[in-house]
Each structure stands twice: as C-alpha cells, then as structure tokens.
C-alpha cells in the first residue's frame, strides 16, 4: 500500500513502541502533526520551549530506560534542541530527535527557517542524517532507534524534509537492520577478564570505581552482588552514584573534585583500581599523573575510545558493564579486606561530608527529602545544588537521581523532571535546583500544569550563581563578577558580600508559582522543611515550588583546588588538610 | 611525534567527509592530507589520511574513527608495505627560451611528464611519493622563484602484493 512519509513516520514510532512523544509544531512539520492527530497509542506532549522539550525527553529516557523521542520544526525549532542533544549525548542517553526541514529542492537556498542541523549537531550526536529519498525513510528511522539504544547509547538526529513527509511510498517498515560500519561489542574478552580477576584476587587494598555505565546497563543488582561477594569497597562517580545503595556498608562515596575525603584517599592509596563504566573525566582525576599512582588499573568500558585516553590503564576490557559484571560474578572470590575497610571507615569518620552552620543548610533539606520520599526520581540542576545533591542524596533501587554530569547544563533539572514524571507516574518526582538554573526553563511550569504533573520543585535560593561565586571566593579574591542574582542598577558593581541593603530578589517565586496555577511555599527555617515537603507531597494535581532561602555564601566542601592531587583537598572553609 | 597513515573505508554518503574532517578539527588532531574517492563498490569510498601525532593520540584517532557509524573499516598504513603515490602539477610561468630549455632538461632528468606548454609556460605532471614531490617543489621553487604554481592531490595508498 502507498502511504505518505508522515503516515510511515507515525507507523514507525508505533512499531518502535513509542508511548510518549515530545513534540512542538511548526511550518515544516505540520504534515507530521497532521498524521499524529487523533491517534491514541502515543501521548503527544507539548512543552513550552524546544530546550525544555529535549530535556524532558532526556529525563523520560533516563528514568524509564526507553528511547526518548523528540519532534520539532526546522530552523529555530532544531537549533533550540542543540544544548539538550549535547547534554543527552554526553551522558549516553538514548534519544531520537526528528527535525523538520525545508523541501529537498530548497535545501541550500537559505530558505525560510532553514538551517543545516545535521552539520550543526554532527559533533554532538552519535549519528545525524537527512532523509533525501522517500524510499529510505523506514530504513533510516529503524536505524535511528537501533543506533540510539545499542552500544554506548546516544542521540540520533533525523532531519525530515517537507517533501519527504508528503511523498507517497511503500508502507513497509523493516524489522531488522544491519549497519556494516556499526557492530556494537557484545562479548567479554576472556583472557583479559581472567588476568583482571587474577589481579583483583591478589589485591590488598582494592576498590571498585563505578561510573554511569553500570546504571545505563541496569546492572545495579549484579554490582551489589559483586561487591558483597568480593568485599571490595565501592566508590562512584557522580553518574555512577546509586549503583549500590548509598547506605550500604561497602559504599564509600563519590570521587572527584567535590568527592568525599575517604573516597579520594582510597583511590589514592588503593593497590588495585577496578573501574567499570567511567571515562576518567577531568572532574574525577585531579592533577594529571597523580591519579591512583599506587594502583594497577583495570578498566571496563563499552567504548574503546574511553580506555587509556586520560589515564593509562594496565588491563583494558571492552565490554558492556552488565556482561563484565556477570563474568566477574562467575570467577571472583571473597577477599580479606577487613583492615582496608577499617582504614576507609576511619577516613569517613575523620572527615565526614557535612555542613556545619547555625542556619538552614542544603544538607538539612536533602536529608529531609531522603526521609520523606521512599520511591522517587530526583533530578538536579547544575551547580552547588547538584553537588550538594550528589553528596547527601540517599539512592537505592527505589530512588534514582538524574543529573547533567558531562555537559553540566543549567536548566536541565526541571524539564527532565517533567519527562521523569510522565514516565513514572507512580513515583514522586523531585527537582533540586538553584535560583539561577530554575529560571533557565521556568516556562515549563505551564507544561507541568496542563499535564497535571505534581512535581516538587525545591529551589535552593542563595541569590547567587553559587558555584561560580564559590570559585570567585576561594580562587579569585572574592571578586563576585556577575554572579549576584539580586544585583540591580543601584548596586555597587564591585560589591563582594551580601548585606542587609541587598535589593529584593526577583522574581517572587511564590507569586510566580501561583500565576501558573502551581502551589508555592517559602521556607526559611530548618523546622519548616519537613512540613513543606509533606504539603507538597499531598498536592497530587499540580506542581509545587518550595523556595528554600539558604545561607547566601554557603560553600560545597570539600573541594580539590585546580591543579591539586585528589587527596589534597580543602576540607572546610579556611582549613586545608593533607 | 611521527607521521602516520590511515586507509579508511567509509559509506559513500553526503556529509561523511565533513564528519571525518570535523572529527580531526574538533579534537585538534593534526591532519596533514586527506584524499577520498569511490571504490569498486560505488556505495563505499576510501580515504587515505596522513597525520602527525604521538602514539597515544594516534590510538585515539583510530578509535574515534572506528566509533563513527559511517566508518566501515580503519586500516593503519603506517608501518605496513603499501604503494603510495601522489599526483602533482607544476606550472612554470614567464619563461625565457633559456628557461624553457632548462625546464625540459630538468623534466627529462627527474622523469617528469610535460603535458602542456606554450612559448613562455610549461605544465608538468609528477606522480611520485609525497616526499619526492616535496623535493620537486623545493627544486623548482629555487630554480624559478615566484614563477611556479603547484597543485597537489594528496597521497593515495594501497596494500602491496609482495
């Protein structure tokens, strides 16, 4: 049967079992929207901005394990996706993004709303392609979904010219696809694994360093079994956090420039570093040449290009995390690590990650979130709010954290929560954001209202772009350049401390919430945290903004100053310890 | 740092060349030359790429290329027996009669083919290795300073049989 490209598009999405489509209409996708009209299998979500749209699809994908699907128009619709595509791709989130395009005959003519989106996104997605012939459409969509979700997952962009959407052609959609240049690795190299296990079994001070790859592979249960079987302590990157319950006795903490002293010290002193699913990003390694200097490093990653890139590895293993962990479970033995664990426990006790203050702290807020929500998806924005969340959030098989780890995209948290709530209606969805980041996609409050999504938005309001301000305080002599969110025209441009005369904050988040039809609660005291969260939890019909007025100059501690080794940290303000 | 050679099989599609060259610029790899043409299978193109890098970067280059969906096969040509040739045109302008005589003599000695000429200008073709072509450029630039025009094709390579 002959059908239009648009009809084949809808058929393809149904075949790929897409249940939620994040879509914003426009001139060059009007045919596609026409084909979507009235169908019942897919819910079509209309966010308020394409950036919010793509982050929502990202949050949906991360929290459900399915592919997130976007549809936007050409030109500005497509360019508004760019940040979200880079965000998702950097964190290996499977997305398929469809963009409208001017008719093939007009491409290159600088037509209205024409951009070369394939060219623009080439370096920030896994694969990008323009459909140039109607007969290729089905095969290309099949390919897009296959590439997005296999191997190291990522973003695929499919550019759909208007004439392809209209053109009649075959209604067939392939069941299988074979791509000669793309064969994701499916097995574990036995010889390498044997060597790795041999080394692990002889270790005195071993650690597992676990990255986001294990969460992506959904190997959390197996990882827990492996840790318990071997008695080897587990350290995570930000993206790996939650891979085993954070309250587990073998869990040490996060590594990195805001990692815990215990985790960073354990990495520096371990004799075998068994890492799975991390790319040794510069945020976790500290000064080059000082990282895990005493250790034999074993590195498992699905992406060969991640291995021996920043850190020289002794035993590289290219494998999917889950397959590698299965192989390990077969051969690994219980190690006597009691003394090593005791040493780590002492580091933990000596320098715990905690905030001491007479005021309400982000730690108080996050601990209350831990206490109240038992089945939840928690999204973070980027900056101090994110770092505090990674320090204090309790995660386990019922609680997942979504955060923009690789790209560090402000404005990610709230729209991602919309996607997470759509994908997990039975779970509580909480956003931990700052006053800066929340304003980057605040328009999505309307989306949360119209789809009746009771998301709880916790804004940690310190009136600063706090993470940059912290760096300015610690490393730039308190020159608070463009980081004060309460700055007004009347202020001294060289002001470097908050005071009583500071202008009022704008916007008023409570009134803002109300204007959208959401609830707004302002919290200024520690005692009011739990009642506010409970009230928000009871609101099942609309989102709730809780604005927490926190100390203006609270810092994220500890921190590894730039150029220092991992265990050479500033532990508290004004105190440096080795 | 060392000069390296890669032979690359890629999909013969729009945008693949941009993808490959963009990978080099985006990741600051030092690309020396890149040639591309279709193969016996018209859906596949083959590129010959030369670059200068240390061992670690070169490993990354190969891995990154392999990672691209459009790349079918990456072959390291650096230390294997290959035939490598580059086409180069040398045009020499504003010649006197004496210059022309000298030119033709040089062409004969160095085995360059004169493919076109008139009274004052001659065009030669050199199909040689990149290194020999480099020598010719120097030679002609010295002999006919500011009067030469060079067009180089970049090297193409194929595995040796013996």
């Amino acid at each position: 049967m002959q059908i239009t490209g648009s009809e084949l598009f809808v058929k393809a999405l149904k075949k790929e079992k897409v249940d939620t489509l994040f879509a914003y209409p426009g001139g060059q996708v009007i045919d596609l929207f026409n084909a979507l009209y009235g169908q019942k299998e897919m819910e079509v979500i209309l966010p308020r901005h394409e950036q919010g749209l793509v982050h929502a699809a990202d949050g949906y994908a991360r929290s459900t394990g399915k592919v997130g699907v976007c549809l936007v128009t050409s030109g500005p619709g497509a360019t508004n996706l760019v940040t979200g595509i880079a965000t998702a791709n950097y964190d290996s989130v499977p997305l398929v993004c469809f963009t409208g395009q001017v008719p093939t005959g007009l491409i290159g003519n600088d037509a209205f709303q024409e951009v070369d989106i394939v060219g623009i996104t080439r370096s920030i997605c896994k694969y990008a392609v323009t459909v140039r012939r109607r007969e290729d459409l089905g095969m290309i969509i099949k390919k897009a979904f296959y590439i997005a979700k296999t191997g190291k997952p990522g973003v695929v962009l499919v550019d759909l010219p208007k004439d392809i959407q209209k053109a009649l052609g075959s209604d067939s959609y392939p069941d299988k696809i074979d791509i000669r240049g793309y064969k994701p690795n499916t097995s574990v190299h036995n010889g390498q694994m044997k060597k790795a296990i041999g080394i692990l079994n002889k270790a005195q001070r071993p650690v597992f360093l676990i990255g986001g790859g294990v969460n992506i592979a959904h190997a959390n249960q197996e990882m827990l079994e492996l840790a318990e079987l071997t008695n080897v302590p587990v350290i995570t990157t930000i993206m790996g956090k939650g891979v085993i319950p954070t309250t587990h006795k073998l869990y040490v903490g996060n590594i990195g420039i805001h990692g815990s002293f215990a985790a960073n010290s354990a990495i520096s002193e371990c004799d075998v570093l068994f890492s799975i699913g991390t790319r040794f990003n510069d945020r976790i390694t500290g000064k080059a040449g000082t990282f895990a200097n005493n250790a034999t490093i074993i590195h498992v990653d699905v992406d060969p290009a991640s291995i021996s890139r920043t850190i020289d590895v002794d035993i590289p293993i290219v494998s999917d995390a889950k397959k590698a962990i299965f192989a390990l479970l077969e051969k690994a033995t219980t190690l006597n690590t009691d003394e090593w664990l005791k040493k780590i426990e002492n580091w933990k006790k000596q320098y715990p990650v905690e905030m001491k203050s007479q005021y309400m702290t982000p730690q108080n807020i996050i601990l209350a979130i831990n206490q109240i929500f038992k089945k939840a998806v928690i999204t973070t924005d980027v900056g101090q709010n994110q770092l505090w969340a990674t320090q204090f959030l309790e995660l386990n098989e019922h609680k997942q954290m979504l955060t923009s780890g690789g790209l560090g995209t402000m404005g990610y948290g709230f729209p991602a929560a919309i996607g997470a709530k759509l994908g997990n209606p039975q779970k509580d969805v909480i956003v931990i954001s700052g006053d800066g980041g929340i304003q980057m996609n605040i328009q999505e409050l309307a989306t949360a209202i119209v789809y009746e999504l009771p998301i709880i938005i916790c804004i940690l309001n310190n009136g600063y772009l706090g993470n940059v301000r912290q760096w300015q305080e610690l490393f730039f002599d308190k020159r608070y350049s463009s980081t004060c969110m309460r700055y007004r025209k009347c202020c001294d441009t060289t002001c470097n401390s908050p005071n009583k005369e500071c202008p009022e904050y704008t916007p008023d988040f409570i009134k803002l919430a109300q204007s959208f039809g959401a609830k707004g609660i302002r919290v200024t005291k520690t005692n009011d945290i739990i009642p506010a969260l409970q009230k928000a939890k009871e609101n099942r019909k609309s989102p709730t903004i809780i604005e927490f007025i926190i100390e203006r100059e609270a810092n994220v501690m500890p921190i590894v100053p730039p150029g220092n080794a991992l265990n050479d940290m500033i532990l508290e303000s004004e105190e440096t310890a080795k | 740092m060392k000069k390296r050679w890669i032979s690359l099989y890629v999909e013969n599609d729009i945008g693949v060349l941009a993808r490959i060259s963009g990978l080099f610029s985006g990741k600051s790899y030092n690309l020396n030359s890149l040639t591309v043409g279709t193969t016996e299978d018209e859906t596949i193109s083959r590129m010959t790429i030369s670059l200068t890098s240390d061992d670690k970067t070169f490993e990354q280059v190969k891995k990154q290329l392999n990672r691209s969906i459009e790349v079918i096969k990456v072959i390291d040509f650096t230390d294997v027996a290959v035939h490598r040739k580059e086409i180069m045109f040398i045009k020499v302008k504003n010649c006197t009669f004496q210059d022309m005589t000298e030119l033709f003599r040089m062409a004969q000695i160095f085995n360059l083919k004169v493919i076109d000429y008139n009274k004052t200008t001659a065009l030669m073709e050199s199909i040689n290795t990149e290194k020999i072509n480099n020598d010719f450029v120097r030679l002609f630039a010295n002999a006919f300073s500011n009067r030469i025009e060079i067009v180089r094709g970049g090297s193409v390579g194929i595995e040796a049989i013996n």
Side-chain angles (χ1 to χ4, degrees), chain A residues 143 146 177-184, chain B residues 9-13 39 41-45 66 68-73:
Chain A
K143 201 168 155 183
Y146 176 67
I177 190 96
D178 178 60
I179 308 165
R180 54 188 168 189
Y182 179 68
K183 304 278 178 240
Chain B
Y9 287 91
V10 297
E11 296 289 345
N12 180 14
D13 279 340
T39 61
D41 175 347
E42 64 180 26
T43 67
I44 295 176
S45 295
N66 254 321
S68 305
I69 312 286
E70 300 90 337
V71 169
I72 300 163
K73 202 170 167 192

Side-chain angles (χ1 to χ4, degrees), chain A residues 4 77 87 145 216-217 235 256 349 395 529 556-557:
Chain A
T4 64
T87 304
F145 278 87
I216 292 168
I235 293 169
K349 281 194 187 126
L395 301 178
I529 298 172
V556 182
M557 288 292 167

